[in-house]
Amino acid sequence: MSPSPSIIIAFSTLALFSILMVAGIYNTLVTLRNRFANAYAQIDVQLKRRYDLIPNLVETAKGYLTHERGTLEAVIAARNAAAAANTGAAAHPGDPSAMKQLASSEATLGGTLGRLFALSESYPDLKANTTMLQLMEELTSTENKVAFSRQAFNDAVMAYNTKREVFPSNVIAGMFSFTVAGLFAIEKPEERLAAKVSFA
Amino acid sequence: MGFLEHQDRARTRTTVLVIYFAISVVCIIAAVYIASVLIVYGTQANRPSGSPPTELVLWDPAIFLYAALGTLSVVIIGSVYKIAALAKGGSAVAESLGGRLLSPNTADPGERQLRNVIEEMAIASGMPVPRIYVLDDEPGINAFAAGHTPGDAAIGVTRGCMTLLNRDELQGIIGHEFSHIANGDMRLDLRIMGVLFGIVCLAVIGQVLLYSSRGRGRNPLLFLGLALIVIGAIGVFFGRLIQAALSRQREFLADASAVQFTRNPAGLSAALQKLGGTGSQVKSAHAGEASHMFFGNGMGTSFLGATLATHPPLAERIRAIDPSWDGNFHQGTVRVAAALSHLGSA
């Protein structure tokens, strides 16, 4: 006995609807993933600018801080480590281990920069240097831009992670291996604060 | 109360005020209708050969249709005309106020900082970077945002802003202006101004009717003219009240959004305190028509004072973002001026 036409129609309609639903969820997950990848691109631009500014800053400070070579070298080393971590993170934005690596090397960089700024407080000539003032302003602005872009990135990661954890999209996420994305968190906020210097 | 609750509250109040505005237009139609019914009744009752005594018919669909269509078309045509006249982009407004476009590669440290702060706030608010104008001749602390879409927006900053405020305070003010752009306040303002002008048109038509029918005895048009003048005047008065109340709510909303963007209530609070100590007067001749767009009250206080003010009292704004404020406005000019001369001589 063959199944009646109405049953065939009912089952094919059901199948069609489930395919459409799976496709819809899959597309939403892809959209959300692209969104946080794009948000990371914004951070990447600012971080690169920051890594470009730091050697200039060190170069300018060198003439004044002749007895602080250790600090200057530490800043450059931390800058190079952070730039490498950013290259890794930019290749796989949202990859939890890459993001963690970036966050910790950024924290180290913030800490060494903070020490450099604290040192420069006792060198009035350096504080009055026009190039130094301009670099400080650019660095402050870039820091702020990183901070604001990081908020947008973390919001986008949160939206993606939530979508991939709730039912029914978690089933689709598991089937097509949408992995969990990592936030760009600040590791030691007090070290970042130390890098904030205002001349006004 | 956090900034999110402040924003919700300001948004709800905006909706209520926009509904009030719509209600007042409906009231105007009703008033015109009642006046027309009375005038029609009056002219019929005075007819000398009126053998059948006419009754006062309160509901006359024909008159209602004429009154409603007539009023609405005057208000709508007036609004569209005014909106078209006002709807120039943000740059046009900024230039009419005496703004100078900031070059992207400026070497001046103050201008460089302004550009940086604006770029930061563009990232924080998710808006494109607007064109930046400096009002060189204005020593007071003030800023404005103009334009109808985020795409054609312009932000203008007085010279006083750049010389008297530090980075965090400047960021607070710029954040405030960005929320006007992000919340679509410029568009809302424009529409309200258009409808207000439409109501003014009603009174103008009344005047025309009054003058054209003078000296022709008991002309019904004379009474219609008088009625339109009175209705128009009352309508404009209440319209202005609602417009001012609306503008004050949008200022609260913009302050709360600025805190959301900068995450630094202290900066905006300090800027408002300095504004209270230094003043926010804008001297430009065009400042009046743009007063609602400014960060602080750009004009002197009007005779109706608080009810017609486009900005809430400074103290109230500061308390909303900084409940621990001691009530003193700070001038802070000396310290900052010293820092700046230091910058300049460097």
Side-chain angles (χ1 to χ4, degrees), chain A residues 11 35 45 48 65-66 80 128 133 137 159 164 167 175 188-189 194 197-198:
Chain A
F11 269 98
R35 205 168 280 166
V45 171
K48 284 207 173 106
L65 305 178
T66 37
N80 291 341
L133 282 174
E137 162 59 28
R164 84 170 262 296
F167 183 81
M175 269 161 59
K188 290 173 189 160
V197 162
S198 159

Side-chain angles (χ1 to χ4, degrees), chain A residues 46 128 130 133-134 137-138 140-141 144-145 148-149 151 199-200, chain B residues 112-113 116 119-121 123-124 166-167 171 261 263 335 343 346:
Chain A
Q46 303 303 335
T130 324
L133 282 174
Q134 270 172 18
E137 162 59 28
E138 295 305 313
T140 310
S141 181
N144 286 345
K145 286 173 188 164
F148 293 132
S149 325
Q151 275 171 20
F199 274 91
Chain B
R112 191 75 235 157
Q113 188 176 58
N116 279 340
E119 283 173 4
E120 287 161 28
M121 286 296 102
I123 292 175
N166 69 23
R167 199 173 206 290
Q171 202 182 41
F261 296 152
R263 307 273 162 172
R335 193 176 62 86
L343 264 178

Side-chain angles (χ1 to χ4, degrees), chain A residues 15-31 163 172 175-176 178:
Chain A
L16 188 70
F17 267 110
S18 12
I19 289 171
L20 282 180
M21 205 177 82
V22 169
I25 293 173
Y26 180 87
N27 289 344
T28 312
L29 282 165
V30 171
T31 308
K163 184 75 189 172
I172 317 293
M175 269 161 59
F176 296 99
F178 281 88

Side-chain angles (χ1 to χ4, degrees), chain A residues 25-103:
Chain A
I25 293 173
Y26 180 87
N27 289 344
T28 312
L29 282 165
V30 171
T31 308
L32 290 175
R33 193 169 58 186
N34 287 342
R35 205 168 280 166
F36 78 69
N38 176 56
Y40 189 80
Q42 305 296 323
I43 301 181
D44 184 45
V45 171
Q46 303 303 335
L47 284 179
K48 284 207 173 106
R49 187 171 151 64
R50 192 159 168 244
Y51 303 144
D52 288 345
L53 285 168
I54 289 171
N56 291 329
L57 184 85
V58 170
E59 205 53 47
T60 311
K62 224 182 222 167
Y64 299 88
L65 305 178
T66 37
H67 304 292
E68 320 284 358
R69 283 193 55 155
T71 311
L72 293 175
E73 275 162 12
V75 169
I76 289 294
R79 176 246 172 227
N80 291 341
N86 177 45
T87 313
H92 307 280
D95 176 58
S97 67
M99 297 315 294
K100 226 177 151 56
Q101 178 68 39
L102 176 66

Side-chain angles (χ1 to χ4, degrees), chain B:
Chain B
M1 200 157 51
F3 57 78
L4 286 175
E5 287 93 85
H6 273 297
Q7 289 180 18
D8 282 345
R9 203 211 261 181
R11 284 212 180 88
T12 319
R13 288 196 181 156
T14 304
T15 318
V16 170
L17 287 166
V18 168
I19 292 171
Y20 282 169
F21 209 84
I23 290 174
S24 50
V25 172
V26 171
C27 286
I28 287 169
I29 294 175
V32 171
Y33 166 70
I34 291 169
S36 316
V37 165
L38 288 178
I39 289 162
V40 168
Y41 171 70
T43 48
Q44 279 173 350
N46 285 335
R47 213 172 285 165
S49 58
S51 38
T54 42
E55 264 180 64
L56 177 58
V57 190
L58 278 182
W59 176 240
D60 189 327
I63 295 180
F64 180 76
L65 201 69
Y66 283 125
L69 281 183
T71 314
L72 272 184
S73 52
V74 168
V75 171
I76 289 173
I77 291 172
S79 321
V80 169
Y81 168 78
K82 187 71 177 172
I83 290 173
L86 287 175
K88 29 187 188 176
S91 328
V93 177
E95 274 155 25
S96 80
L97 288 165
R100 170 177 59 87
L101 186 65
L102 201 66
S103 109
N105 310 313
T106 171
D108 178 75
E111 294 179 356
R112 191 75 235 157
Q113 188 176 58
L114 175 67
R115 174 161 285 280
N116 279 340
V117 166
I118 288 179
E119 283 173 4
E120 287 161 28
M121 286 296 102
I123 292 175
S125 62
M127 292 281 132
V129 178
R131 265 156 301 176
I132 307 166
Y133 286 87
V134 179
L135 308 183
D136 287 311
D137 302 331
E138 307 286 353
I141 298 176
N142 223 327
F144 68 87
H148 308 300
T149 55
D152 82 344
I155 281 190
V157 170
T158 60
R159 172 61 56 182
C161 251
M162 291 167 61
T163 51
L164 299 175
L165 300 180
N166 69 23
R167 199 173 206 290
D168 287 352
E169 292 158 356
L170 190 63
Q171 202 182 41
I173 289 194
I174 300 297
H176 173 104
E177 296 308 330
F178 261 100
S179 29
H180 280 315
I181 301 177
N183 293 325
D185 291 350
M186 287 127 28
R187 216 166 30 229
L188 183 72
D189 260 331
L190 184 72
R191 287 187 189 149
I192 300 265
M193 275 158 80
V195 177
L196 260 180
F197 182 76
I199 300 173
V200 171
C201 284
L202 218 56
V204 170
I205 286 181
Q207 272 174 358
V208 170
L209 285 179
L210 195 68
Y211 281 111
S212 62
S213 57
R214 243 188 338 190
R216 284 190 224 161
R218 298 174 71 89
N219 192 325
L221 285 181
L222 185 103
F223 294 107
L224 186 64
L226 270 179
L228 284 181
I229 292 176
V230 173
I231 292 168
I234 296 175
V236 168
F237 175 73
F238 282 104
R240 287 254 158 81
L241 280 189
I242 299 173
Q243 181 194 29
L246 203 69
S247 171
R248 292 197 294 270
Q249 285 311 315
R250 303 314 279 184
E251 293 303 322
F252 276 129
L253 175 63
D255 282 347
S257 308
V259 173
Q260 179 193 358
F261 296 152
T262 60
R263 307 273 162 172
N264 181 9
L268 181 60
S269 164
L272 285 167
Q273 288 170 33
K274 273 195 187 159
L275 195 144
T278 321
S280 55
Q281 208 87 0
V282 175
K283 294 182 297 185
S284 166
H286 295 278
E289 45 192 276
S291 65
H292 55 277
M293 296 189 302
F294 281 104
F295 172 71
N297 223 342
M299 308 301 291
T301 38
S302 65
F303 74 104
L304 269 164
T307 33
L308 282 178
T310 50
H311 289 66
L314 266 183
E316 224 174 286
R317 286 174 70 183
I318 299 174
R319 287 236 161 72
I321 50 174
D322 182 7
S324 66
W325 179 50
D326 59 1
N328 292 322
F329 292 115
H330 298 301
Q331 235 156 352
T333 40
V334 185
R335 193 176 62 86
V336 180
L340 272 162
S341 67
H342 170 75
L343 264 178
S345 66

Side-chain angles (χ1 to χ4, degrees), chain A residues 89-160:
Chain A
H92 307 280
D95 176 58
S97 67
M99 297 315 294
K100 226 177 151 56
Q101 178 68 39
L102 176 66
S104 80
S105 56
E106 272 291 309
T108 316
L109 177 58
T112 53
L113 270 180
R115 268 200 298 285
L116 175 61
F117 289 152
L119 268 178
S120 67
E121 287 292 311
S122 42
Y123 291 83
D125 291 350
L126 176 59
K127 273 176 70 184
N129 182 301
T130 324
T131 318
M132 187 67 179
L133 282 174
Q134 270 172 18
L135 283 170
M136 288 282 206
E137 162 59 28
E138 295 305 313
L139 211 55
T140 310
S141 181
T142 315
E143 292 255 342
N144 286 345
K145 286 173 188 164
V146 171
F148 293 132
S149 325
R150 197 181 48 226
Q151 275 171 20
F153 171 76
N154 284 345
D155 287 348
V157 166
M158 193 67 95
Y160 165 80

